[in-house]
Amino acid sequence: MKQTSFEVLLELAIKEDLAEAGDVTSRAIFGDDQVLARLHSKDTGILAGTDFFTRVFHRIDPSTQVECLFSDGDSLKPGDIVAELRGSTLSILTAERIALNFLGYLSGIATVTQQFSRLQRGKTRILDTRKTLPGYRELAKYAVSVGGGTNHRMGLYDMVMIKDNHIDAAGSIQRAVSMVRDKWGSRYRIEVECRNAEEVSEALRAGADIIMLDNMDVKAAAECLEQRRGNVAFEASGDMSLEKVAGYMEIGLDYISVGKLTHSVKNFDFSLKIAGPEA
């Protein structure tokens, strides 16, 4: 059976953290001790990744009991007790950092995504990008959806994106689109990255399904939208901040893609504390 992305990542995390010797500190101090531990939120934001968090502990020791008191998508504040764990002290401490790494990363993505998603107006939706850590794309895009964002293409294989390098190498937008149609017909939607109004016109004539307005200011993007026709969708992209997105939301775009959702996310801070021996 094919492993999921998470299962592959989990095995890598265990190998790099435990190697052959395991947790030598905890192995020296604890034997069959049973303990109650609590997961505390130290940040304000959105929770994502509780299933992955739980599965780390069960992979290390299937007898560990994990009760999540909040669900993915819930809002957290500092001091919230997010989960309670019961089981072997050795097992819980061995799994702790691996589990927190997954939970903190995914909750950080969900949190920043919600900040952007709150700005959504009308039909305009926030998209993620392919700017993800290798191996983490499925998990990162899951966290984006938890935060209220919309997933763009998963990879190079599920949608055509004709970017500036494709256009420059092919010689023109028209030629690049024609070559894609000749190869794939209507199998894939075609998005074309445009740098100015003239390229938007050419992409529309070529039959693009989606127009990406790359690094245009709001005024230029709005002028390009005046060329809209049929069911062609328009997306804006280019180092989007919360302040910039707020302006683009007013002009009637279909999508705004934001690399910051995944490429430079701040880890959500959690703390796992031993509460005492388990009765």
Side-chain angles (χ1 to χ4, degrees):
M1 181 181 295
K2 182 180 178 181
Q3 286 184 307
T4 65
S5 295
F6 170 71
E7 289 167 340
V8 172
L9 289 168
L10 177 54
E11 295 309 311
L12 287 171
I14 290 171
K15 183 177 180 179
E16 70 183 2
D17 218 21
L18 304 181
E20 298 299 325
D23 180 354
V24 295
T25 306
S26 296
R27 286 181 61 195
I29 299 173
F30 304 109
D32 296 329
D33 311 59
Q34 299 291 302
V35 72
L36 167 67
R38 293 193 175 100
L39 176 69
H40 299 264
S41 170
K42 298 177 69 177
D43 263 335
T44 298
I46 303 300
L47 177 64
T50 54
D51 178 61
F52 306 121
F53 174 82
T54 300
R55 287 165 65 184
V56 173
F57 288 97
H58 289 168
R59 170 63 179 81
I60 297 298
D61 184 350
S63 69
T64 304
Q65 299 176 37
V66 182
E67 181 185 5
C68 292
L69 306 178
F70 289 81
S71 300
D72 284 7
D74 286 349
S75 297
L76 297 179
K77 63 182 184 303
D80 283 338
I81 298 176
V82 181
E84 292 187 341
L85 299 88
R86 293 173 171 82
S88 158
T89 309
L90 171 59
S91 297
I92 289 174
L93 295 182
T94 298
E96 173 188 5
R97 176 41 53 196
I98 298 172
L100 291 181
N101 284 347
F102 281 110
L103 193 68
Y105 178 60
L106 298 182
S107 297
I109 291 173
T111 296
V112 72
T113 300
Q114 192 201 54
Q115 294 170 1
F116 280 90
S117 297
R118 283 174 174 169
L119 300 175
Q120 292 178 152
R121 298 288 183 273
K123 66 178 180 179
T124 310
R125 290 293 172 263
I126 295 294
L127 293 180
D128 56 20
T129 69
R130 289 169 44 244
K131 297 176 182 179
T132 57
L133 291 172
Y136 274 85
R137 185 162 298 164
E138 288 185 7
L139 274 67
K141 284 180 174 285
Y142 166 74
V144 166
S145 67
V146 169
T150 299
N151 296 148
H152 204 295
R153 59 177 178 162
M154 184 61 69
L156 296 175
Y157 60 87
D158 57 345
M159 180 179 165
V160 170
M161 170 80 79
I162 299 175
K163 299 176 71 68
D164 54 354
N165 284 329
H166 298 108
I167 295 165
D168 294 341
S172 70
I173 290 173
Q174 180 65 61
R175 186 162 187 267
V177 172
S178 294
M179 293 171 76
V180 169
R181 293 291 189 205
D182 289 344
K183 175 70 173 178
W184 302 116
S186 58
R187 181 173 176 179
Y188 300 105
R189 298 181 78 196
I190 297 178
E191 180 164 3
V192 178
E193 180 181 276
C194 298
R195 294 163 282 195
N196 51 57
E198 291 72 26
E199 289 191 345
V200 171
S201 298
E202 185 180 357
L204 289 169
R205 290 194 302 271
D209 300 300
I210 306 172
I211 305 294
M212 175 191 283
L213 308 177
D214 184 47
N215 283 298
M216 295 187 189
D217 60 29
V218 174
K219 183 176 183 295
E223 291 173 353
C224 287
L225 279 167
E226 294 176 2
Q227 300 187 50
R228 186 200 299 267
R229 61 172 182 254
N231 295 321
V232 178
F234 278 75
E235 171 189 341
S237 180
D239 192 26
M240 291 293 178
S241 64
L242 287 167
E243 294 74 18
K244 287 176 67 173
V245 163
Y248 284 95
M249 280 292 172
E250 304 301 323
I251 62 175
L253 290 160
D254 297 279
Y255 307 110
I256 301 174
S257 52
V258 182
K260 287 185 174 66
L261 302 185
T262 55
H263 72 51
S264 55
V265 67
K266 176 181 178 294
N267 186 72
F268 194 105
D269 198 4
F270 293 97
S271 177
L272 187 69
K273 294 295 185 183
I274 301 298
E278 177 66 1

